[in-house]
Amino acid sequence: MRKGLSLVMLAIIVLIVLYGTVCLFLGNFVGAYATLPFLFIYYVWVVAVKRRKSREETTEDKEPGESNPTR
């Protein structure tokens, strides 16, 4: 399931980048810049998911009574 979702997301990103590139070559700068918010939202979403997973892994590794050192 995750592999299929990853392939779909990758295909969407490739299509967005390809569309922006074609628009740039054709001189349609508005169309090219219209793709940037989609790429930015995707990047922020991926970073947020990665941070959430790393937090879950660190909380699972700690013992119940163990404190988190700040050094």
Side-chain angles (χ1 to χ4, degrees):
M1 176 79 176
R2 287 187 182 255
K3 187 175 182 180
L5 183 61
S6 297
L7 289 175
V8 169
M9 289 184 349
L10 183 63
I12 290 171
I13 295 303
V14 167
L15 289 175
I16 290 173
V17 170
L18 185 64
Y19 175 77
T21 304
V22 169
C23 284
L24 278 175
F25 279 117
L26 294 177
N28 184 4
F29 297 112
V30 174
Y33 283 118
T35 61
L36 290 178
F38 296 110
L39 295 175
F40 182 71
I41 290 169
Y42 178 76
Y43 173 75
V44 169
W45 182 53
V46 167
V47 169
V49 169
K50 192 178 290 189
R51 284 187 183 174
R52 189 175 347 130
K53 284 183 181 179
S54 68
R55 279 191 199 149
E56 289 174 358
E57 289 174 359
T58 57
T59 56
E60 288 176 359
D61 292 342
K62 285 195 316 184
E63 294 294 323
E66 186 179 333
S67 65
N68 190 3
T70 57
R71 294 183 203 164

